[in-house]
């Protein structure tokens, strides 16, 4: 039976008192063989949209104290603090600089819900400060930052969960079990599609003054200095290379991850064949692509990615999904449902597999949070550790890089972390941090 922090302190203090001494126990004790306290003390860094949603799932477990909120926008910060108080009866301390949060000894874990360009720096600093981390996907905005984050989690022995919540989805767990048990026969192809209106980017708007209450220089952080524009801020920042990777890195990491999970791949792609362009006739404000087709050849199967921003229709009546094609059957899945379609055996006059249908799935953010909190206490490896997050992110980033350098085929050396056939692509592996920020070194 695992001890709680409270009971461990009590028993240790009693034993020490009996010997005439009082022992002060270091924080590392809690992350070694002893589980954390009955309630995990959590801080949220980046309080808008998904970050706050993930905090809500943590608080809904009733296993968490929210001790701190941090955001560079005081308007967001104050609104979310009030919501935490109203919904959960908790009153976290508010901060505008994440480093002040990490200085607190009572913070066990942090949730990183910032734009992608901040993920690496905050995650590494949190690990160095002895905190466990739930970091939103994609794990980082560049390949080099992903590599650094993997090293940091290992060096500081932290529990790090990347927010690819489909790893805890009943739908996709069922699908993986069906395929790995041989139900569809030999897997040959994984076809993935993602069609969403928002992927087009935003309608152009002029640069403007920084809104009141916003620390814009801190929001930019390590990203290049630029005049404030509302399209590069809340809600649509991910369509600019400085901060994100568009629809590809937003949905791509989720869906491509399913094609990697089926064979437990945790490496970057050896070869990526990419077509990437902006084909929508509308004038939109963005750097990223609205149309992409990508092929990822694997050892004995192939993954394909088909993305069209600006539309909402797709195969099998779903705007997004994954199709697993085997010799005996095909499975089509999204987050809410899956179907197994058997092939027909002409010789035996019978289906080659049993048809399966399930349509009671749901979003799995809560299950992913449950897994994280369990691992914070048990020190087990979570369902989406940094190695898994890195693999999915690299498939998305390398595809985007291929489009940016206009090279259809890129070959990647995962051991040496470099492109074999394109030096221009190698220049995009690491970001150049704006001073005074520095790329972390592990």
């Amino acid at each position: 039976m695992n001890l709680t922090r409270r009971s461990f302190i009590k028993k240790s203090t009693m034993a020490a008192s009996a010997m005439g001494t009082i022992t002060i126990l270091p924080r590392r004790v809690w992350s070694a063989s002893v589980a954390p306290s009955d309630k995990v003390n959590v801080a949220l860094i980046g309080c808008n949209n998904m970050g706050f949603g993930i905090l809500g799932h943590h608080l809904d477990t009733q296993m968490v104290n929210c001790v701190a909120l941090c955001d560079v926008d005081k308007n967001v910060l104050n609104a979310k603090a009030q919501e935490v108080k109203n919904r959960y009866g908790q009153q976290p301390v508010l901060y505008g600089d994440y480093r002040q949060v990490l200085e607190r000894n009572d913070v066990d874990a942090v949730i990183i819900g910032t734009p992608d360009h901040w993920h690496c720096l905050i995650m590494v600093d949190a690990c160095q400060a002895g905190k466990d981390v739930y970091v939103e996907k994609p794990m980082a905005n560049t390949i080099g930052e992903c590599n650094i984050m993997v090293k940091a989690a290992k060096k500081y022995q932290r529990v790090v969960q990347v927010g690819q919540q489909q790893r805890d989805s009943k739908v996709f767990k069922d699908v993986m079990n069906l395929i790995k048990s041989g139900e569809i026969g030999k897997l040959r192809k994984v076809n993935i599609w993602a069609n969403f209106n928002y992927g087009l980017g935003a309608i152009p708007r002029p640069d403007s003054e920084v809104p009141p209450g916003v620390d814009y220089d801190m929001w930019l952080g390590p990203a290049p200095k630029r005049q404030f524009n509302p399209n590069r801020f809340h809600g649509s920042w991910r369509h600019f290379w400085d901060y994100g990777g568009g629809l590809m890195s937003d949905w791509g990491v989720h869906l491509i991850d399913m094609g990697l999970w089926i064979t437990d791949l945790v490496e970057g792609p050896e070869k990526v064949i990419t077509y990437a362009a902006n084909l929508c006739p509308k004038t939109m404000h963005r750097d990223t692509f609205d149309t992409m087709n990508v092929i990822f050849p694997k050892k004995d199967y192939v993954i394909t990615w088909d993305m069209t921003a600006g539309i909402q229709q797709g195969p099998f009546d779903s705007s997004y999904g994954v199709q697993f094609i085997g010799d005996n059957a095909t499975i089509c899945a999204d987050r809410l449902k899956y179907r197994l379609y058997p092939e027909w055996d002409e010789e035996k006059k019978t289906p080659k597999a049993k048809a399966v249908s399930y349509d009671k799935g749901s979003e799995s953010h809560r299950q992913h949070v449950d897994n994280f909190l369990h691992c914070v206490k048990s020190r087990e490896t979570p369902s989406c550790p940094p190695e898994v997050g890195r693999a999915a992110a690299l498939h998305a980033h390398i595809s985007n890089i291929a489009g940016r350098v206009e090279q259809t085929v890129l070959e990647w050396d995962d051991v040496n972390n470099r492109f074999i056939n394109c030096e221009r692509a190698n220049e995009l592996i690491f970001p150049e941090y704006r001073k005074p920020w520095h790329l972390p070194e592990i």
Side-chain angles (χ1 to χ4, degrees):
M1 179 177 178
N2 289 328
L3 296 172
T4 65
R5 179 188 296 174
R6 188 177 298 119
S7 62
F8 188 89
I9 291 173
K10 182 178 180 181
K11 291 181 180 180
S12 300
T13 303
M14 289 174 62
S17 298
M19 294 184 291
T21 60
I22 297 294
T23 302
I24 303 299
L25 299 170
R27 277 185 57 80
R28 64 177 178 273
V29 169
W30 314 130
S31 61
S33 59
V34 180
S37 60
D38 300 288
K39 288 196 173 185
V40 178
N41 288 339
V42 167
L44 171 62
I45 302 171
C47 299
N48 211 22
N49 297 329
M50 185 58 74
F52 191 74
I54 295 302
L55 174 64
H57 290 296
H58 278 75
L59 289 167
D60 286 340
T61 68
Q62 299 183 8
M63 295 167 55
V64 164
N65 294 317
C66 178
V67 298
L69 296 178
C70 179
D71 202 280
V72 299
D73 187 338
K74 290 182 179 178
N75 307 291
V76 170
L77 190 61
N78 292 332
K80 298 305 182 183
Q82 188 63 48
E83 193 167 344
V84 169
K85 183 178 180 180
N86 292 344
R87 289 174 56 186
Y88 301 100
Q90 298 189 20
Q91 198 158 357
V93 181
L94 308 185
Y95 297 91
D97 188 326
Y98 78 92
R99 292 168 293 188
Q100 294 175 308
V101 175
L102 299 184
E103 289 173 355
R104 292 183 55 147
N105 291 327
D106 62 341
V107 173
D108 299 308
V110 299
I111 303 164
I112 302 175
T114 64
D116 303 348
H117 71 288
W118 264 113
H119 288 185
C120 176
L121 194 53
I122 298 175
M123 179 270 195
V124 173
D125 285 349
C127 288
Q128 290 175 336
K131 319 300 184 188
D132 295 324
V133 178
Y134 185 111
V135 58
E136 258 308 317
K137 58 80 220 162
M139 191 165 80
N141 198 37
T142 63
I143 295 171
E145 289 173 307
C146 289
N147 296 336
I148 290 168
M149 293 167 78
V150 171
K151 292 179 181 178
K154 288 181 179 178
K155 178 176 180 177
Y156 300 107
Q157 298 183 320
R158 307 318 307 164
V159 171
V160 177
Q161 177 86 295
V162 183
Q164 292 163 211
Q165 74 276 1
Q166 290 175 175
R167 289 266 172 164
D168 284 297
S169 157
K170 173 175 169 48
V171 164
F172 284 106
K173 283 184 175 181
D174 283 359
V175 168
M176 297 302 148
N177 289 334
L178 285 167
I179 298 174
K180 291 183 178 183
S181 67
E183 200 66 23
I184 72 169
K186 170 69 174 65
L187 176 69
R188 294 168 60 180
K189 297 175 73 175
V190 179
N191 292 333
I192 303 167
W193 67 96
N195 303 326
F196 294 97
N197 280 328
Y198 82 92
L200 285 180
I203 296 172
R205 289 192 283 179
D207 293 343
S208 62
E209 295 297 317
V210 177
V214 173
D215 185 344
Y216 179 56
D217 188 69
M218 190 66 175
W219 188 92
L220 287 173
K225 181 72 173 179
R226 296 188 186 277
Q227 176 67 30
F228 180 85
N229 187 289
N231 287 340
R232 303 176 71 94
F233 195 48
H234 293 330
S236 52
W237 51 261
R238 70 175 62 256
H239 300 294
F240 300 90
W241 300 127
D242 289 347
Y243 327 116
L247 189 52
M248 176 45 132
S249 70
D250 191 24
W251 272 88
V253 293
H254 282 306
L255 301 177
I256 294 169
D257 185 33
M258 299 300 95
L260 305 178
W261 188 12
I262 196 57
T263 54
D264 299 315
L265 286 175
V266 290
E267 297 82 27
E270 293 183 3
K271 180 184 288 188
V272 177
I273 305 166
T274 303
Y275 173 83
N278 282 309
L279 301 182
C280 178
K282 295 180 181 178
T283 300
M284 306 298 287
H285 193 185
R286 59 164 180 252
D287 295 334
T288 56
F289 305 110
D290 64 33
T291 305
M292 291 184 74
N293 280 80
V294 186
I295 300 173
F296 304 100
K298 300 301 176 185
K299 182 179 179 181
D300 54 2
Y301 71 112
V302 62
I303 301 174
T304 67
W305 166 263
D306 185 343
M307 179 192 97
T308 311
I311 68 170
Q312 293 283 119
Q313 302 300 317
F316 301 95
D317 296 321
S318 182
S319 61
Y320 72 95
V322 187
Q323 181 187 39
F324 302 89
I325 301 175
D327 286 330
N328 295 341
T330 292
I331 296 178
C332 295
D334 60 28
R335 293 176 178 177
L336 303 181
K337 62 186 181 296
Y338 64 87
R339 303 280 188 275
L340 186 151
Y341 302 91
E343 291 294 321
W344 181 256
D345 189 324
E346 187 61 36
E347 183 178 335
K348 296 180 179 179
K349 305 299 182 183
T350 186
K352 292 184 178 181
K354 182 180 179 181
V356 179
S357 178
Y358 179 80
D359 59 4
K360 295 182 180 180
S362 61
E363 291 286 350
S364 48
H365 295 98
R366 169 60 190 272
Q367 291 85 346
H368 206 48
V369 166
D370 287 343
N371 175 260
F372 173 60
L373 292 174
H374 168 78
C375 293
V376 167
K377 289 177 174 289
S378 69
R379 311 316 293 173
E380 297 172 21
T381 301
S383 55
C384 190
E387 293 82 0
V388 170
R390 172 189 180 271
L394 260 62
H395 281 71
H397 290 327
I398 291 174
S399 303
N400 275 335
I401 288 172
R404 294 174 69 180
V405 301
E406 299 181 333
Q407 179 147 330
T408 303
V409 180
L410 283 180
E411 296 177 9
W412 174 252
D413 179 349
D414 202 56
V415 174
N416 294 303
N417 284 293
R418 65 181 306 274
F419 293 100
I420 298 170
N421 64 331
C422 184
E423 284 305 316
R424 288 185 301 153
N426 283 323
E427 294 173 2
L428 296 176
I429 292 175
F430 286 96
E432 183 176 345
Y433 274 25
R434 181 174 66 102
K435 294 180 180 180
W437 305 101
H438 298 281
L439 188 69
E441 294 183 6
I442 306 299

